Amino acid sequence: MAPATIMAGARRLVSSRRRTEAPRRRPSPSTPPKKLRPMSEIMARAKYAVVERADYSDIICEQCGSGERPGELLLCDKCDKGFHMRCLRPIVVRIPIGSWLCPKCSGHRRVRTFSQKRIIDFFKIQKSGDGKKKCNLNQDTRKRRRRPLVLLKKRRRLLPFIPSEDPNQRLKQMGTLASALTAMQMEFSDDLTYSSDMAPRSANQAKFENGGMQVLSREDMETLELCRSMSRRGECPPFIVVFDSCEGYTVEADAQIKDMTFIAEYTGDVDYIKNRENDDCDSMMTLLLATNPSESLVICPDKRGNIARFINGINNHTPEGKKKQNCKCVRYSVNEY
């Protein structure tokens, strides 16, 4: 930031020197002198202006009326009112980067519309012109039903999600996810991300799991690969991301989903648990519980992630829905075949 400012100043100085060397022209009598607009008019037309105060000791939270915990008070850059991070709905878990507007000044505009081209670019959807590559879900379902009932009772298989048949409905579903990810300043990613300043890829090995990790069966692995290929083609699970005033962004089912249906892989940045002990991210997921606790890993979907970031229990808002657990996250070793 500083070098860019210095360069801009240097350019202004050079252009200013050139103007002084050129002969000055007297203003034409017919040309009226340029009038400057008063500051009050500029402030009235501006969207908002940040004006620093000399003393902020009298700031209180507009929600609870308390001025305690000043380190958790956020000041709106438009109305200059204070709000505790924990008093806001949804709760703000970290100090926002850049300007911040309170719910009233922001106008509650949390939903953005995305064109079809932007959705394709956002999710990096692969255009498939070969119809033979597409898997027939109905045939796969029939094959599963032909198996003996005894085998199904011994071990229940994972089912692939069934995307909506209407392409426009799928675009709507992906648009809500793109809107939520954009509002959270996140990038879409269907893969785990490793970086040199966090945990390397070599740290994520099932053999490090304390007590061993269950292995995904060959048939369930085929289901996983099928779902991955559908996601790459833009055939997403039938979910819509909505905004809840208390929970923030959450997920609603847009169609009937059978039990044991695979939804998504939990993705994000992989880091050691020891590096995230004081992290305020509200959606970290355990990836590896190593014998040596210092080698345990977590998935942090604060910069990159997918729809799993917003799934926190679907349709569990009624007493009847709370009686049953309709979402479950399970850790598997998937590289054994």
Side-chain angles (χ1 to χ4, degrees):
M1 184 73 70
T5 305
I6 294 174
M7 291 295 293
R11 284 195 294 270
R12 286 197 295 269
L13 289 175
V14 171
S15 61
S16 175
R17 189 179 298 113
R18 289 178 181 173
R19 285 198 297 270
T20 56
E21 294 174 356
R24 295 184 178 181
R25 295 181 181 181
R26 295 182 178 180
S28 174
S30 60
T31 304
K34 187 176 180 180
K35 295 183 179 180
L36 299 178
R37 291 186 297 173
M39 181 60 67
S40 59
E41 181 181 348
I42 296 176
M43 294 286 290
R45 294 186 177 184
K47 293 183 178 180
Y48 67 90
V50 179
V51 180
E52 295 291 337
R53 296 171 50 180
D55 185 18
Y56 287 92
S57 59
D58 59 339
I59 293 293
I60 62 174
C61 176
E62 297 296 319
Q63 297 291 340
C64 67
S66 171
E68 297 179 356
R69 306 191 309 275
E72 298 181 8
L73 277 172
L74 295 179
L75 296 181
C76 176
D77 287 326
K78 185 175 182 180
C79 65
D80 212 29
K81 295 180 179 179
F83 298 84
H84 280 126
M85 299 168 64
R86 297 183 181 180
C87 293
L88 291 167
R89 293 294 182 271
I91 295 175
V92 178
V93 296
R94 63 184 60 192
I95 298 177
I97 299 175
S99 61
W100 177 80
L101 300 180
C102 67
K104 182 178 180 180
C105 294
S106 63
H108 299 278
R109 293 184 297 177
R110 301 184 179 93
V111 179
R112 295 181 55 183
T113 58
F114 288 78
S115 64
Q116 180 177 353
K117 183 179 183 303
R118 287 197 61 187
I119 290 177
I120 293 175
D121 294 340
F122 188 90
F123 293 103
K124 300 177 182 179
I125 296 174
Q126 299 177 358
K127 297 181 180 180
S128 176
D130 188 2
K132 296 180 180 180
K133 294 182 179 180
K134 294 187 177 181
C135 301
N136 193 329
L137 293 181
N138 294 330
Q139 291 181 0
D140 183 77
T141 304
R142 286 197 296 268
K143 290 180 181 179
R144 293 176 183 275
R145 290 177 179 174
R146 290 173 186 172
R147 293 177 186 140
L149 184 61
V150 178
L151 293 180
L152 292 177
K153 288 184 177 180
K154 287 184 178 180
R155 188 184 183 280
R156 303 180 68 183
R157 310 292 184 184
L158 293 179
L159 300 175
F161 62 79
I162 301 178
S164 301
E165 295 183 1
D166 185 6
N168 294 327
Q169 187 64 18
R170 293 201 300 268
L171 286 175
K172 177 183 176 181
Q173 295 162 0
M174 289 186 290
T176 61
L177 175 57
S179 174
L181 291 172
T182 303
M184 299 289 291
Q185 299 181 353
M186 293 175 55
E187 298 178 5
F188 172 76
S189 176
D190 255 343
D191 300 304
L192 295 175
T193 306
Y194 302 88
S195 60
S196 57
D197 57 339
M198 287 188 282
R201 186 183 298 271
S202 58
N204 183 17
Q205 298 187 42
K207 64 182 181 181
F208 297 150
E209 176 76 12
N210 185 14
M213 184 178 293
Q214 55 185 331
V215 179
L216 198 65
S217 67
R218 188 183 299 274
E219 292 185 355
D220 288 344
M221 190 66 197
E222 293 175 356
T223 300
L224 175 60
E225 291 297 336
L226 171 61
C227 294
R228 286 174 174 175
S229 62
M230 287 193 294
S231 297
R232 288 192 291 267
R233 295 195 303 265
E235 299 174 6
C236 58
F239 293 115
I240 291 180
V241 183
V242 297
F243 185 84
D244 185 87
S245 59
C246 294
E247 298 182 8
Y249 288 100
T250 184
V251 171
E252 292 181 354
D254 199 27
Q256 292 292 330
I257 301 176
K258 294 183 179 181
D259 191 20
M260 295 298 292
T261 296
F262 173 84
I263 297 176
E265 296 177 85
Y266 211 94
T267 63
D269 295 328
V270 179
D271 199 358
Y272 291 105
I273 291 182
K274 61 182 180 181
N275 296 339
R276 300 281 179 159
E277 291 179 350
N278 299 320
D279 199 307
D280 52 8
C281 179
D282 59 346
S283 298
M284 286 192 296
M285 183 67 66
T286 302
L287 177 62
L288 184 71
L289 292 176
T291 305
N292 184 356
S294 63
E295 297 178 354
S296 297
L297 302 176
V298 290
I299 305 174
C300 309
D302 49 356
K303 297 180 180 178
R304 283 165 285 269
N306 56 11
I307 196 169
R309 164 68 172 80
F310 305 106
I311 295 178
N312 56 356
I314 303 174
N315 300 336
N316 281 345
H317 302 285
T318 61
E320 293 76 13
K322 291 181 179 179
K323 293 179 181 178
K324 55 183 180 179
Q325 182 182 17
N326 50 17
C327 279
K328 187 177 183 180
C329 186
V330 184
R331 295 182 297 126
Y332 285 98
S333 174
V334 298
N335 297 322
E336 298 295 330
Y337 301 105

